[in-house]
Amino acid sequence: MTVRLTTLDNGLRVVTDPMDAVETVSLGVWVDVGTRHEPAEVNGVAHLLEHMAFKGTERRSAKDIAVEIENVGGHLNAYTSREQTAYYAKVLAEDAPLGVDILADILQHSVFDEEELARERTVILQEIGQANDTPDDIIFDLFQEQAFPHQPLGRPVLGRPEIIESIPRDRIAAYLKDTYAAPGMIVSAAGKIDHDALVELAAKKFGALPTSSTASTSPARYGGGEVREERDLEQVHVVLGFSGMKFSDPDYYAAAVLSTALGGGMSSRLFQEIREKRGLVYSIYSFAHSYRDGGLFGVYAGTGEDQVAELMPVVCDEVLRIGEDLEEEEVRRARAQLKAGLLMSLESTSSRCEQIAQHLLVFGELLDPREMVRRIEAVDRAAVMSAAKRIVAEMPTFAALGPIGKVEDYEKIRARLAH
């Protein structure tokens, strides 16, 4: 590996992955706080902060930030997840210092102007409204809240409208000051970048970051059960899931192979049996989401009101059956898909920049892609079937949204999965 890592005196980690064949660099700052670190009364503050970071600093207006990065043909973006927040840019190699300067500025010197805040509240309320109008998005918020009830990990990333409307400016500024600390932050870059130059620049621009964070959260506590919401929609959207694997779980890679074999592509069991053979859905797939101390494994499908009664028994059958009669060919194909996806991602500066930052935040160390490939290739049929049985042994979580009158009763679904 060519990846280099340096830890500054204040605890900030700087990591680079040089790619000599390109003329651009992707760089960013990853922070180890997200939605699950918010107090309940300010749910959505992490995402609101992410928006406000681009709305003006002590020396740049919101327009200045946009103009400066676009003057050099670059772009800025950010995202908030349940465990992290990221701010990143992609620029030509010679403009890396500008990218770092802007990122350092917005993360340390944002002014949180009241007029900008009022506008951004409206923007986020529109974003929440758009999500609510997108059933194949909102179904996952319903599912997440049911899987992790009454705890930070179950709350929506966007927050709730009544909270977004009322979070005061000072609370947003305090959240930044109290939780964005150097030891929990990563400056990451991939592409045409010189490590020592970036370290020197980061030390200069981020040297005044706080060295301790007040962020805390409760451990993940999987709940299970069901949530159903009647809506006047053309389709019924369903998610059937279970407690999954945390990142450090010995079955983490087995669960990834399982998800791919079950519903990861057009050759997967769910796609072939439910879409191709029976024509019950347009969209169906499985997923394996991991957190530091928990995870979720499940299946999403969107189907017609008249087809959902047939759909759920077949989904349950396929989830059970893969733990009993998985074929070696399916395992080989799933491993190949995962391996190809990993190696193809290494061709992208953005993917490599994010990957090394994620590794440091989640595992505390850098993972060699060759070692990751080895772990994928080491997953055998027995490990996948064992992971399938382990997952299904947990109480299911079920979410349904739309015209749900014909959706099978939760206890019947649970009984099917107990066979």
Side-chain angles (χ1 to χ4, degrees), residues 32-40 42-47 80-85 144 148 151-158 175 179 214-222 246-247 290-295:
D32 67 348
V33 290
T35 305
R36 71 175 301 187
H37 303 96
E38 302 167 343
V42 289
N43 173 220
V45 68
H47 177 252
T80 304
S81 71
R82 286 185 165 83
E83 295 193 306
Q84 300 171 4
T85 310
Q144 184 86 18
F148 297 106
Q151 57 189 291
L153 195 55
R155 296 178 195 136
V157 171
L158 298 183
Y175 183 83
T179 65
T214 63
S216 63
T217 190
S218 58
R221 303 181 308 279
Y222 177 79
K246 62 183 178 180
F247 282 113
S290 294
Y291 304 107
R292 291 181 181 178
D293 57 351

Side-chain angles (χ1 to χ4, degrees), residues 144-278:
Q144 184 86 18
E145 188 169 11
Q146 185 62 45
F148 297 106
H150 312 297
Q151 57 189 291
L153 195 55
R155 296 178 195 136
V157 171
L158 298 183
R160 305 188 191 282
E162 63 274 17
I163 295 177
I164 297 303
E165 290 174 334
S166 62
I167 298 176
R169 174 201 174 278
D170 290 347
R171 195 69 188 270
I172 303 168
Y175 183 83
L176 170 64
K177 179 181 177 182
D178 294 342
T179 65
Y180 279 41
M185 299 172 69
I186 311 289
V187 173
S188 177
K192 192 170 184 180
I193 190 74
D194 177 82
H195 179 80
D196 293 330
L198 182 60
V199 168
E200 182 178 353
L201 190 59
K204 178 180 178 182
K205 298 294 184 179
F206 292 98
L209 281 172
T211 56
S212 63
S213 170
T214 63
S216 63
T217 190
S218 58
R221 303 181 308 279
Y222 177 79
E226 72 163 345
V227 57
R228 299 177 183 225
E229 184 175 315
E230 179 77 35
R231 282 200 191 182
D232 184 16
L233 301 173
E234 292 296 320
Q235 280 198 312
V236 184
H237 300 265
V238 296
V239 176
L240 174 65
F242 310 86
S243 179
M245 317 308 188
K246 62 183 178 180
F247 282 113
S248 60
D249 195 292
D251 286 333
Y252 171 80
Y253 286 95
V257 174
L258 170 64
S259 179
T260 304
L262 179 63
M266 291 189 295
S267 65
S268 68
R269 288 194 173 199
L270 291 175
F271 193 94
Q272 286 296 312
E273 180 66 25
I274 294 176
R275 172 170 165 159
E276 296 295 277
K277 182 178 177 180
R278 299 173 184 260

Side-chain angles (χ1 to χ4, degrees), residues 25 50 107 110 186 194 212 230 378 406:
V25 60
E50 173 222 308
L107 292 178
S110 286
I186 311 289
D194 177 82
S212 63
E230 179 77 35
K406 297 180 181 180

